[in-house]
Amino acid sequence: MRRNLAAGNWKMNGTAAALSELDKLATYLSPDDAETVICPPAHLLFSACEKMRGTGIAIGAQDCHSAASGAFTGDISAAMIAETGATYVILGHSERRDAHAETDSDVAQKVRAAWGASLTAILCIGESGVDREAGNALDIIQKQLAGSVPEGATGANLVIAYEPIWAIGTGKVPTLAQIVEAHDFIRAHLISRFGQTEGDAIRLLYGGSVKPDNAAEIFTAENVDGALVGGASLKADDFAPIIKALPQA
Ligand code: PGA
């Protein structure tokens, strides 16, 4: 049985004042709600972890370097993230694949680094609008899964977020049938690679323009175990209804 997960990706938004949204979110949630993780910008990780201790809300980072330490100006290692108290890290987000030219093999190395620091990786995959239009979505997903998911994936160390690039921040959402097709495809891939037990245990999130008014329909899909939410995770008043739309598991 997979526990549903709502993950909020704040991207490069939020100064210390935004931490009050975490306090507010914590007052809205009960232990029966889906597991919740917020991924704020790196400078807020320590204080977010302090604030959320004992609330059940987990904290994650948005990227890590694949090396343990060294001359990598501006980067942060998985162990550094773990030291803040964070337990998750988003890896391979399309904004990083694009703006930082991250390849599948770069992402796979980062996933291994995250595991080395006992972080759970939220690995993002998803096709562009051009690939979707050309009918290549599943081929792209297959290639990204093969290239960026390392051996050794389990339900405890990996979450996969399917985020069609054309749906991120655009207000466009795939049809439910397209979401079901992609998630069923990802599940089948994971089972064939990692066996029935682990393949079934890895949680699959949908991401891309999830809002309070479309979440419930998206969550009806059997292989959608939650959401990775950008814009609508910044305000507790928007994110809480999305979390509460997830069936309790
Ligand atoms: P969005 O972003 O919810 O603002 O579309 C999702 C994401 O990039 O993870």
Side-chain angles (χ1 to χ4, degrees):
M1 192 64 184
R2 300 181 293 269
R3 185 169 177 216
N4 287 325
L5 174 66
N9 174 12
W10 282 9
K11 310 189 179 184
M12 200 170 71
N13 297 295
T15 60
L19 292 173
S20 63
E21 291 298 323
L22 290 182
D23 292 325
K24 204 170 173 188
L25 188 63
T27 66
Y28 290 161
L29 300 185
S30 78
D32 290 337
D33 286 316
E35 186 182 351
T36 300
V37 53
I38 297 279
C39 303
H43 76 297
L44 296 179
L45 287 172
F46 253 118
S47 33
C49 290
E50 286 283 304
K51 261 185 176 302
M52 291 300 98
R53 185 172 301 148
T55 64
I57 296 178
I59 300 298
Q62 299 173 13
D63 179 47
C64 73
H65 198 280
S66 55
S69 62
F72 303 105
T73 303
D75 279 312
I76 186 164
S77 75
M80 292 168 186
I81 291 167
E83 200 178 32
T84 70
T87 48
Y88 284 88
V89 59
I90 296 170
L91 294 172
H93 191 283
S94 61
E95 287 153 14
R96 293 206 60 89
R97 289 178 185 263
D98 181 26
H100 298 265
E102 289 185 10
T103 64
D104 283 331
S105 117
D106 296 333
V107 176
Q109 282 189 48
K110 289 180 177 211
V111 173
R112 281 192 213 95
W115 292 350
S118 300
L119 297 173
T120 298
I122 302 176
L123 169 59
C124 303
I125 58 171
E127 81 286 356
S128 68
V130 171
D131 286 319
R132 169 61 65 179
E133 289 294 314
N136 294 334
L138 295 184
D139 290 343
I140 297 295
I141 292 170
Q142 166 68 31
K143 187 174 151 289
Q144 290 175 330
L145 287 170
S148 56
V149 180
E151 291 310 311
T154 69
N157 67 22
L158 184 70
V159 173
I160 291 186
Y162 168 62
E163 300 203 302
I165 298 169
W166 50 276
I168 295 176
T170 59
K172 289 186 201 152
V173 181
T175 63
L176 186 60
Q178 288 172 326
I179 293 175
V180 166
E181 180 187 47
H183 281 246
D184 289 356
F185 182 83
I186 296 166
R187 176 72 62 214
H189 172 98
L190 294 174
I191 290 172
S192 80
R193 260 183 86 189
F194 302 112
Q196 189 75 43
T197 305
E198 293 308 334
D200 241 346
I202 295 168
R203 292 175 291 178
L204 309 185
L205 310 184
Y206 168 77
S209 297
V210 177
K211 306 286 177 220
D213 62 1
N214 62 19
E217 188 194 358
I218 293 168
F219 297 153
T220 59
E222 188 194 332
N223 279 312
V224 172
D225 306 308
L228 178 56
V229 183
S233 72
L234 294 171
K235 295 280 173 227
D237 285 327
D238 295 328
F239 198 30
I242 293 174
I243 299 165
K244 288 181 181 289
L246 273 167
Q248 295 175 7

